[in-house]
Amino acid sequence: MLLPRLSTLGRPLAGWGRRSRRVGCLQSRGLSVTCDRRRAAGSGEGDAQPGVASDLVRYRDTVLLPRTDFPMKLSGQKLLERELEIQKGCGFAELYQWQRSRKAKKEFCLHDGPPYANGDPHVGHALNKILKDIRNRFEVLRGRQVHYVPGWDCHGLPIELKALGQEGARGLSPLQLRHKARVFAQEAVARQKAAFQRWGVMADWDCCYLTLDGPYQAAQLKLFQEMHSKGFIYQDFKPVFWSPSSRTALAEAELEYDPEHLSRSVYATFALSTPPPPLAGVDGVSVVVWTTQPWTIPANQAVCFMPKAQYSVVRRTDNSQLLLVASERVASMVALLSTELEHVCTITGSQLEGGVCRHPTIPDKEVKLLPANHVTMAKGTGLVHTAPAHGMDDYSVASHFDLPVECLVDEDGRFTEEAGPELQHLVVMTEGTDKVISMLQAGGALLKEEPCVHSYPCDWRTKQPVVIRPSRQWFVHTGALRDKAKEALQKVTFLPESARSSLLDLLDRRTYWCISRQRSWGVPVPVFYHRTTGAALITKHSVSHISKLFKETGSDCWWELPVEELLPQEVLTKSKAPGSPSDYVRGDDVLDIWFDSGASWAAVLEEETEWGADEPESRLGWLPAPLRRPLLSDSDSTADVYVEGKDQLGGWFQSSLLTSVAVRNKAPYRSLVVHGFAVSESGLKMSKSVGNVVDPDDVINGGKAGGAEAFGADVLRWWVAESNVFSEVQIGPAALSSARDNVNRLRNTVRFLLGNLQDFDPAVQAVEASQLRYIDQYLLHLLRDFSIKVTDAYSQFDAGRVVRLLQSFITRDLSSFYFSIVKDRLYCDPEDSLARRSCQTVLEEILDGVTRAAAPILPHLAEEVYLHAPGHPEGETLFRSGWIKSSSVWRRPGLEEAVEGASAIRDSFLSSVPGRNAGQYELILAIQPGLLFELMESLQEEQSSCSSQLVELMMSARVDLVGELPRDLPPGALLSHGSFLINLEGGVIREDSAYSVAAVPTAAARCPRCRRHTAPSAGCLCRRCQDVLAS
C-alpha cells in the first residue's frame, strides 16, 4: 500500500526519484522530518599556505566581495546627527497624519494615559511611551489606521507645589496660583513632548490633549453631570483620608504606605458601667481595647465585638483587676502583661449586647457595646475601639446604629476646641497623642503602651502621614458600580492575566471614591450653594452653561466671572431652582485628578454628542478635522488597549472603568497591558539621593558632564523591547551596553546583506521561486515562518519575543547556517549566473523581512537600511510601504525535509572530521533506496559531483551519492553512521532511514581564487573559476 500512496502525492522537486528504486514523490502537507540542524561547518579555508598572499592579490578584483556605503558602526555625534537626519528626511513628524488620512479597513486605538506634567521626562516615561510606540508602528506597517492622541495630566498638588516653590501660596489669589501652575505645567509638557519626539514616538504632536484645556474640561463636566444625574455622584459628610500637610482630602489611589511607620500603640480599659445581663453579678469588669492611634480615643462612641466569638472575664493575679477580652486572645494578654490571668467566666459575643462602658477620657460620657462584622482576632483584644469620625469601618457602625460622628480634628491635623482645653490646638499625630496617653494614665485606663511598627498611609506627594477625618465631600458611589464594573471586566483581556485579580481586589476594597479636593488648581466642581439653606445646585442646564463657558474661555472663568454670569437667571429658571443668582455662591472645591484623567475616554474617544436639542456640543470640536472623528463606526468608541504601569490598577485603569461603566455600562478598553517599573540594575527604586537615577536624555546624548557614551534613541528603544516589561525593568550601564551591542550586531547583519546586493535590481534580476536553489527556497520557507511568529509576537505586545526571534533567526538561520554556505556562490560564481541571482533574490527578501521585523523597535535603523536597500521608489519610506511580504508559495512541502535531512547528515559526519573543516574532504554518502535517498537525490542528480546543491550544503570538496559504501575505502577514511526519521501525512507513513558517511581526504588542490579544494593541481584554478575568468 505504500507505493500507491506515495505515487498520489505528486512530485514536489524536479528530478526526485530518477534513479531511486522507489517511485513517486514527497509533496505531502503532512510531511515532516525530525532533525536537529545545528551550527554549519566552517568555511573550508584552512590554514594559510605559501603563496596565499600573492594569490589574494592576484585574484582579489575577480571576487565579488560585498560593497556598500552603509556604515558598519555609528557612534557619538555621528550617530546622533544621523538619527535626527532620518527623523527629518523620512517624515517621522508627518507619519501619524499620513496614516490617519489613508483608507484602511481596520483601526487600532491605543488610548494614551496622561503622564503628569510635573517635571522632566524620566526613564519611566521612556519605558511606557516606547512600548506603546512599538505597537503603534507595527499596526501602521500592517495597514491599520492608528488612533493615538498623546495627553498630559496637568492638575494636582505636585504641580502646584513645584510651581509655587519655596514661596508657597501665601498672599496669592486662586487666579494667581492657577496662572503659576499653568505656566509650570505647560513648560513641563513642552519638555516631555520634545523628549518623546526625540525617542521616535509617532503622533501628531501639534494635537495633544491636556486636562487644563477648556474643551477637555467641558467634556469632563458633561461626564460629571451624567454621573450625578444617575445618582453615582453625591455629596456627604463622612470620613475620608485627609492630608494635614496638603490640607486636602485624598483618594485611596493618592496614598503611599510606609511599611516602617512607628506608632505608640496602647491597650486601654473602658470600665463597664452597665454590664450586659450575663455579667450582671460580676462587679468591676473593664473592657480592654487596643489601638495604634491613641489620639482617636477622645472621639470614641462605642466598643465593638464579634457576635459569634467567645469572650472571657479574667482576673490579673498581680492586682486582681478584672478584664474582658476575647477568649482566644487571653494567651497573648498573659505575655503582654507579664502576669497570670485567672479565668472567671466565658460568654458568647452576642451576649455582650446591652452593655455600656464609661469613656476613659471624658467624664460622664458613656459608650455602648455593639456587634460588628469588621472585628477580627488577628491582633489586639477582640474588642475594637470605635471612633466613627476617624475610621471607615467605624463610620459604617455609626451609620447602622445612628451614632454621632463628632470630628475633633481640623484641616491642619490639630485638635479642635470641641476636644477640650487640654487637647485644643495640639497636633494629633505627635503632641496630641502624647497628651491622650497621659490622660489615659491619669485616669487609670492605660493598661499597656508599646511601640508598634506597621504599614501606615501617607500622602503620595508630601510623604507625610495622613489621618482619617470626616469632611463634606463629593463622592462616586463605587459600591453601586462595583458589580457592573466586574461584569464589564469579564470582556476585557489582561496582559499579564494576573493583573485581573489585582484590579478586582482593588475594586472590592474601594467602598467609595472621594473626588473633591480643597485646592484651587484643578477643574472646579460645578456646584452652587444656596446662601441660606446651603443646598447644592447641580442640574443639566447649569453644568451645560458652565461647560460652554469653560470651552470658550477656560476654567479660570469660575473665579473671574460674577455668579450672575456663571448662573444666569434663565439657567435657574430652566433648573426650576428658587431665588435669583445673587442667592447662590459658587463652590470652592476642585475635582480629583483621577477624575480628570478618568474622563479622558469621554474627551478623546467619544463620538460627537449633544447636550440638548437647543445646545449642540461636540466633545471633540477642539481637535483638528482629521482627528475629530475619533473612531471608526464599528469600534463603538472603545479603545483597543490601555497601556500603563501597574500603579494604574488603582488609578487611571480604575477611574476610567468606573466613569465609563457609570454612563455607558461598559469598559472604555478591550485590553489592558500592565507593565512594571523601571529600576536600577541592582533592582532598587531609582532615587536622586542614592544616585542611581538614569536620565533618558543622558542615555541618548551622553552625560552632561562628558565621558558617558551617547547611545542614541534606538538603543533606548531596544532596551525597552528586550526587557521583560511585565516585571520590574532594570536599566543601567550594563543593560544599555548590551542593548548597543545587540543593535550593532543587527546592523552588521543588514550591512552584509546590503553589501551582497550592491549589483542586484530585484525588479529585473529576481529569480522566480520555482527556479531558486533548494537551500534558497528553504530560507524563504524559514523567513515566512519567522514573519508569522514575529507578527504574532507584536500582536501580543511581546516585543521581547520579537527580539529573541530576530536574534535567533540572524544567529542560527542566517549567520551560522545560510551565510556560511552561500558565500562561495555569492563571491565566486559568475556575476549574472542563475545560482548567484537565486541567492541574491533570497537575500533581498531576507533584508526586507528582517528590516521590517525590526522597524517598530528600531525605526531609525530601519529607515536608514531602507534608504540603502535596492528596489524602492525614490522618496518612499519604510513605514509607508507596509509589513513583511511573505508568500504561501514559500512553504513548499518536501523542501524542508530535503535541506534539513542533508544538514542532519552533515552534522553527524562533522563530529568525526578534525577541525570540522569539511572542505578538505570528499564524502561518500551511502543510503539504502527509499525516501531519504530520494531527498538527497533531489539535491544531486549525478552520482558524483563537486558543484551540486548537496555539495554546497555539505560544504565539502565532493559528494558521491551511492546505495552502499564500497568495500575498498581508503585507509584514512573517517566513518560515521546515523538514521533520519521521515514522517509523511502526519505520521501515517513513517520511514527511519539509515545512512553511512565516509569522509576521505581529497586529493584535489586548493583553488587560489575560491579556495575550495577542487583544483586539479597546486597553483591551478578550479574549473568553475577558469570559466568565470574566461568570460
Side-chain angles (χ1 to χ4, degrees), residues 570-720:
E570 61 184 89
V571 172
L572 270 179
T573 302
K574 288 181 180 179
S575 301
K576 299 180 180 179
S580 63
S582 61
D583 293 327
Y584 293 85
V585 295
R586 76 200 89 196
D588 294 327
D589 295 340
V590 298
L591 287 167
D592 174 24
I593 55 175
W594 294 112
F595 193 87
D596 288 2
S597 59
S600 61
W601 62 265
V604 180
L605 304 183
E606 275 275 74
E607 298 285 356
E608 296 187 358
T609 60
E610 291 188 354
W611 287 81
D614 57 338
E615 297 178 25
E617 290 284 338
S618 169
R619 287 174 170 167
L620 302 174
W622 53 291
L623 293 172
L627 298 177
R628 196 169 298 154
R629 176 182 54 80
L631 297 170
L632 297 178
S633 57
D634 62 351
S635 62
D636 197 24
S637 301
T638 302
D640 287 292
V641 66
Y642 279 27
V643 184
E644 299 300 331
K646 59 185 180 182
D647 57 327
Q648 297 307 313
L649 289 168
W652 187 57
F653 291 156
Q654 192 176 142
S655 64
S656 300
L657 172 68
L658 292 173
T659 54
S660 180
V661 167
V663 299
R664 306 191 303 175
N665 288 315
K666 66 176 184 178
Y669 37 70
R670 294 187 178 88
S671 300
L672 281 183
V673 175
V674 187
H675 62 76
F677 298 141
V679 296
S680 70
E681 278 187 326
S682 60
L684 298 176
K685 181 179 179 181
M686 293 189 184
S687 169
K688 290 183 179 179
S689 60
V690 176
N692 62 356
V693 174
V694 177
D695 186 339
D697 183 66
D698 290 346
V699 172
I700 292 176
N701 299 308
K704 298 179 179 65
E709 180 177 357
F711 290 105
D714 272 357
V715 168
L716 183 65
R717 295 176 66 97
W718 183 274
W719 162 74
V720 172

Side-chain angles (χ1 to χ4, degrees), residues 272 276 287 303 305 324 352-357 367-371 383:
L272 281 173
V287 172
V303 174
F305 56 84
L324 176 66
L352 293 175
E353 201 160 355
V356 179
C357 302
V367 297
K368 295 179 179 181
L369 291 175
L370 297 174
L383 292 154

